[in-house]
Amino acid sequence: MSMEMYLFSDRRLDSIAAWQQAIDAAGDPLQLSTGRPFAELNGGLPVTLRDRPTAFECNHWDAAELMAELTDLTFDHAWSYVLAFRWGADFNAGASAYLAAAAYAEATGGVIFDCEEGRLMSPTRARDVANEMERDGPRIMEMVRRSMEKFARE
């Protein structure tokens, strides 16, 4: 199962370094990989959340095309750019994606569409979700592990 969210903006940050500056300015415990130019993001982006390496997918998509597909959502105007974020069952990857999106949205005046919640969310809400994932992820994974062990024994 993969999760997705989209970040709409009218301007782009010009580099991963500029994005990292926005993350640092917010005080978020996230370090982006600078292994490739921002304009070439298309797939996995390695990151470190606190001291934990992880990654999420990050892609530049066509904003007009995506907005046309999201028929249940009303936008206040036609956004110029969109970054698509995707991750799997790794709670650290999810928390990292939310923190990265929050900082980018703040730096560009953008908005975040959370596919799970089915609505636009503020950077503050994105940080709350990241914190919930970090806090609850280990407990949830332990519950899944125990259920799988129980299932295997039966």
Side-chain angles (χ1 to χ4, degrees):
M1 176 176 103
S2 65
M3 306 288 286
E4 288 187 350
M5 86 177 127
Y6 310 115
L7 190 148
F8 295 90
S9 65
D10 284 330
R11 74 177 190 92
R12 277 187 172 167
L13 295 178
D14 60 358
S15 66
I16 299 247
W19 193 357
Q20 185 65 55
Q21 287 175 346
I23 291 167
D24 294 344
D28 294 327
L30 183 66
Q31 181 68 47
L32 304 175
S33 169
T34 57
R36 78 180 148 221
F38 177 73
E40 294 177 14
L41 283 181
N42 187 24
L45 176 61
V47 301
T48 302
L49 177 61
R50 300 188 198 284
D51 61 346
R52 300 178 305 265
T54 189
F56 55 84
E57 290 183 29
C58 187
N59 301 288
H60 298 279
W61 285 1
D62 182 279
E65 188 176 302
L66 182 58
M67 289 174 69
E69 290 177 19
L70 297 172
T71 57
D72 292 342
L73 191 61
T74 303
F75 293 94
D76 63 350
H77 72 282
W79 293 96
S80 301
Y81 303 103
V82 66
L83 282 179
F85 295 80
R86 182 178 292 130
W87 62 96
D90 179 351
F91 285 93
N92 291 324
S96 297
Y98 278 100
L99 291 175
Y104 195 99
E106 286 172 337
T108 61
V111 297
I112 302 164
F113 176 69
D114 182 275
C115 296
E116 185 68 21
E117 291 191 3
R119 64 183 178 93
L120 296 174
M121 69 169 40
S122 69
T124 299
R125 175 67 186 135
R127 283 194 182 87
D128 289 345
V129 171
N131 290 333
E132 291 166 11
M133 292 179 101
E134 274 197 280
R135 182 191 68 228
D136 298 339
R139 180 179 52 81
I140 293 168
M141 292 308 293
E142 179 62 19
M143 288 172 43
V144 169
R145 185 188 66 75
R146 287 181 186 170
S147 294
M148 296 301 288
E149 286 176 354
K150 181 181 177 185
F151 179 76
R153 286 190 305 264
E154 294 177 354

